[in-house]
Amino acid sequence: MAEALVVFTVRYTEGHCLASAWRYWQRRLGKRYALELAIGAGLYVLARQGPYRWVEVALLIVVGAFALVGAGVFLLHWQRARLGLKALDPPQSTWLLTENSIAQRSNLGESAIAWSAVQQLWQFPDLWLLIWGRDVYSTLPSDQLPAEARDYIRRRVQEAGGKVS
């Protein structure tokens, strides 16, 4: 592995699991989910006023299924994060930022990924999410992220073609 330019250690908690699942859900589905539920509910109300009972039932099924899928996405990510936390002993990882890659080391092992593999960086006040792919991300709690690491991560993700938001 190349020489690390920035090294820091992060300690994870159950709160980080919940926050990361919520933030991921919020950014991936949040506004669209609320809008689609509102439209579905509105169509259901309109369908109830007409003679077409089958439309009412069909809309109720579709809106209900969509609501369950959205809740399932959140629960899946929360459970996945909790299982990951349970596997960490101690619940911490050391991050190594090099010119070519971002690496993470814990009791589970060590991995390094090229900066070009980071598709997006989602910055929230309480944590950052490094998005590697659809439904694949790493969590960095903001209060444990040194200023030097923040600047370096932002710059390298942008230079490698990733989106920072």
Side-chain angles (χ1 to χ4, degrees):
M1 192 179 300
E3 185 177 327
L5 301 174
V6 180
V7 179
F8 60 96
T9 299
V10 172
R11 186 160 188 82
Y12 295 101
T13 65
E14 282 274 338
H16 295 128
C17 296
L18 181 60
S20 67
W22 171 247
R23 292 299 193 182
Y24 183 82
W25 182 91
Q26 183 182 31
R27 181 71 59 93
R28 180 71 76 195
L29 295 177
K31 292 177 185 173
R32 187 179 76 211
Y33 182 78
L35 179 63
E36 290 175 0
L37 282 180
I39 290 170
L43 289 173
Y44 175 73
V45 168
L46 289 175
R48 285 193 50 98
Q49 296 176 9
Y52 304 106
R53 197 81 176 147
W54 67 270
V55 172
E56 180 181 333
V57 171
L59 283 170
L60 187 59
I61 290 169
V62 169
V63 170
F66 183 72
L68 289 174
V69 167
V73 167
F74 169 76
L75 292 173
L76 173 75
H77 286 280
W78 185 30
Q79 183 66 15
R80 189 185 300 168
R82 291 176 62 220
L83 288 172
L85 179 66
K86 188 176 179 180
L88 284 174
D89 186 24
Q92 67 184 31
S93 64
T94 300
W95 292 80
L96 302 96
L97 311 179
T98 71
E99 194 61 35
N100 299 320
S101 65
I102 180 169
Q104 184 179 15
R105 191 173 51 214
S106 71
N107 70 301
L108 300 176
E110 186 173 332
S111 64
I113 298 176
W115 286 106
S116 60
V118 181
Q119 295 176 358
Q120 296 182 54
L121 167 61
W122 294 352
Q123 301 170 91
F124 298 98
D126 53 345
L127 56 85
W128 284 16
L129 296 177
L130 293 164
I131 309 298
W132 310 107
R134 183 148 180 90
D135 295 336
V136 181
Y137 58 88
S138 293
T139 303
L140 293 169
S142 298
D143 61 347
Q144 299 178 52
L145 193 55
E148 180 184 19
R150 290 173 192 253
D151 296 339
Y152 194 75
I153 291 169
R154 265 192 221 105
R155 182 175 60 80
R156 291 301 294 138
V157 169
Q158 287 176 330
E159 289 174 355
K163 182 180 173 187
V164 175
S165 57

